[in-house]
Amino acid sequence: MSNRSIRVEALIDADLERVWKLTQDPELHARWDARFSRIVPTEQGGDGLWRFTYERRLLVRTIRGTGISLGSREGSDGARTSALRFTTTDRLSPLRDGRGYWRYEPVDGGVRFITGYDYEPGWGALLDRFVVRRLVAWMTAASFARLRRWAEADEPPERWPLWKMALPGARDRPRASDCLWSIGRPTAMADAPASLATLDAP
């Protein structure tokens, strides 16, 4: 896998339990996260482990894949984590095998919500480097921004489709720039839980 990991961080002024619910419930997750159009659990295991299928609707095609996730409710510092692996056999998908994590850190003023993830390019390394990965990173940050609005002010994420968020000059909209995000930081995966390394293939 490449060393072009994506990292996004948002400070959310909301209770940890609310952020956990909006991100761990598959139906709610698909409402704010633009990387998915639909997430369907297929198998529930012990200790927060579950398998799922996912869809991402594009203009002329729906990409389908499978994933596995493992959530941990408490760490020694009060933080929570969630590890994830995903894959698809669709040859037209821009993302193939991938892995990542979510980290929830209780801080003054709410929750610092962090993700780090990487994937194998589906459309070739060159196109991924200059187009796809930048777009996917922006989509992730924009999704975190509208999650924050939902968690803080109960503003439905459907109010902010990506095209509306990208319009120049639109006022009072969530923006990807509301979050800290980067591509290729050496420490992007530093906060990943140990469970990510041992998580089964989806």
Side-chain angles (χ1 to χ4, degrees):
M1 192 164 289
S2 74
N3 60 353
R4 298 276 295 163
S5 299
I6 294 169
R7 186 182 190 278
V8 178
E9 174 183 332
L11 180 59
I12 301 176
D13 185 8
D15 181 80
L16 177 59
E17 291 297 338
R18 176 161 174 78
V19 179
W20 182 263
K21 178 176 177 58
L22 293 179
T23 55
Q24 292 292 319
D25 183 300
E27 185 174 350
L28 299 178
H29 178 187
R31 289 180 61 187
W32 63 265
D33 195 336
R35 296 169 297 177
F36 303 96
S37 302
R38 189 166 179 250
I39 302 172
V40 180
T42 58
E43 180 184 341
Q44 183 78 45
D47 300 324
L49 180 72
W50 55 283
R51 295 179 182 271
F52 60 91
T53 61
Y54 67 87
E55 296 180 358
R56 180 62 175 96
R57 289 188 294 273
L58 305 177
L59 290 176
V60 296
R61 188 181 186 89
T62 296
I63 304 296
R64 294 180 172 86
T66 58
I68 184 170
S69 174
L70 177 61
S72 172
R73 282 191 170 270
E74 297 293 344
S76 59
D77 57 356
R80 301 181 184 182
T81 59
S82 181
L84 168 74
R85 290 184 64 180
F86 62 90
T87 191
T88 180
T89 57
D90 192 319
R91 294 183 178 181
L92 294 185
S93 174
L95 280 64
R96 298 291 176 84
D97 294 352
R99 65 186 186 96
Y101 69 92
W102 284 346
R103 180 172 172 82
Y104 310 71
E105 296 180 358
V107 295
D108 290 340
V111 177
R112 180 178 288 115
F113 184 45
I114 303 168
T115 189
Y117 66 98
D118 201 0
Y119 61 85
E120 293 290 352
W123 293 354
L126 191 63
L127 190 59
D128 180 76
R129 182 180 183 88
F130 292 105
V131 179
V132 175
R133 196 166 295 250
R134 294 181 183 185
L135 177 60
V136 172
W138 178 86
M139 287 174 60
T140 306
S143 296
F144 271 43
R146 62 183 185 182
L147 167 66
R148 183 168 70 175
R149 289 285 189 97
W150 196 11
E152 292 181 350
D154 207 25
E155 190 172 289
E158 292 82 4
R159 179 180 177 185
W160 300 107
L162 290 186
W163 66 266
K164 193 172 184 180
M165 295 176 68
L167 287 176
R171 292 187 174 185
D172 194 34
R173 72 184 190 275
R175 296 174 171 85
S177 58
D178 295 340
C179 307
L180 298 175
W181 58 287
S182 63
I183 301 173
R185 271 182 66 178
T187 58
M189 301 296 288
D191 292 317
S195 57
L196 180 59
T198 59
L199 197 59
D200 291 339

